Amino acid sequence: MARRDLPTRTVTLAGLAVLGLAGAAFAVRRPLLMSAPTCLAGRWHGCYDTFNGVVLMTLVGLPVAALVVWALARLRRAAGGTSPWRRSLAEVGMVYGTVPFGWMTLMPGAAPGVAPGRVSLVPLRDLVTMGPIGIGGNLLVLAALGFFAPVRFPALASVPRVLALGAGCSVLIETAQYALWLDRVSSVDDVLVNTAGAGLAALASRRWWRTPGRVPPGPAPAAADPARARHERVGAAARRP
């Protein structure tokens, strides 16, 4: 029964994901369409240096990402690999869902190369100024990495390890903002929220990477030998008075 229900659950989850993506696209359709002419014309300025342009091109590239998943799964299946679809989806989703957000976090501010780097090391001081949109955006920066990394790599199949990975990646992003003089604030609150987003995403995908407890290693039980057991029984009977 469980095997019959698996395709139904998969189709249901995929359908919900498509509906959610369509709803999000509908909600932000106006700002996305503002950058559409520039992006479709192939211009860098006004497309890839704006949040709307990056989000629009990410949505446009989804069919290409799905094609890459299909091609990788076919290659793995032909080679006899295990879980070809899950591994392929995890690899593509981990990269495709993280790179656009990383790109947006590294976009320069108003005076790149002129304004000195700014650092905020007081926890929770900048959190109140982010607002719901800022907090939601920071939660999504490493969400794809936290969701798919433990699915793809068994060594990361642990929430503390995903939190450590998210914290390390977020520190690298904030350090790059400061070192490149992007006129952005390198804040410890960004690290905290980004890490929390990775951890929450890992919890959301836990059913796909959680494994049952392993049996502790020990000597394997000896296989029963029918002839030897019969010989022992005959010997025991002969020794009886």
Side-chain angles (χ1 to χ4, degrees):
M1 182 62 68
R3 293 184 178 180
R4 294 182 180 179
D5 294 340
L6 181 59
T8 303
R9 289 199 300 267
T10 303
V11 172
T12 302
L13 291 175
L16 291 176
V18 172
L19 290 177
L21 184 61
F26 180 80
V28 296
R29 67 189 186 282
R30 290 184 178 179
L32 293 182
L33 291 177
M34 291 175 59
S35 59
T38 305
C39 293
L40 295 178
R43 300 175 184 173
W44 181 277
H45 182 66
C47 179
Y48 293 101
D49 58 349
T50 64
F51 289 175
N52 295 334
V54 173
V55 173
L56 176 62
M57 297 309 296
T58 302
L59 295 175
V60 170
L62 281 176
V64 178
L67 183 62
V68 174
V69 172
W70 176 82
L72 290 176
R74 288 291 300 269
L75 291 175
R76 283 197 169 99
R77 178 175 293 181
T82 58
S83 303
W85 284 101
R86 177 178 297 187
R87 295 180 62 185
S88 301
L89 178 61
E91 290 174 354
V92 176
M94 184 170 48
V95 176
Y96 197 80
T98 304
V99 170
F101 286 102
W103 182 269
M104 287 187 286
T105 57
L106 293 177
M107 284 183 180
V114 178
R118 291 168 290 170
V119 180
S120 177
L121 299 179
V122 180
L124 306 182
R125 186 178 68 179
D126 299 329
L127 194 63
V128 295
T129 63
M130 291 182 182
I133 297 179
I135 294 176
N138 280 323
L139 287 174
L140 293 175
V141 170
L142 299 175
L145 182 65
F147 188 93
F148 290 110
V151 177
R152 175 59 182 87
F153 302 105
L156 296 175
S158 168
V159 174
R161 294 179 183 180
V162 173
L163 290 175
L165 175 65
C169 293
S170 185
V171 168
L172 288 177
I173 292 174
E174 299 301 313
T175 303
Q177 289 178 349
Y178 179 82
L180 297 176
W181 281 38
L182 297 178
D183 193 18
R184 302 285 295 269
V185 179
S186 300
S187 173
V188 68
D189 287 343
D190 290 338
V191 176
L192 295 177
V193 179
N194 294 346
T195 304
L200 292 175
L203 290 175
S205 66
R206 190 178 181 184
R207 59 176 300 180
W208 288 286
W209 54 260
R210 185 176 55 186
T211 56
R214 297 180 179 178
V215 178
D225 188 352
R228 182 176 180 180
R230 186 169 57 253
H231 178 72
E232 291 178 354
R233 287 197 300 268
V234 172
R239 289 192 297 268
R240 290 177 184 174

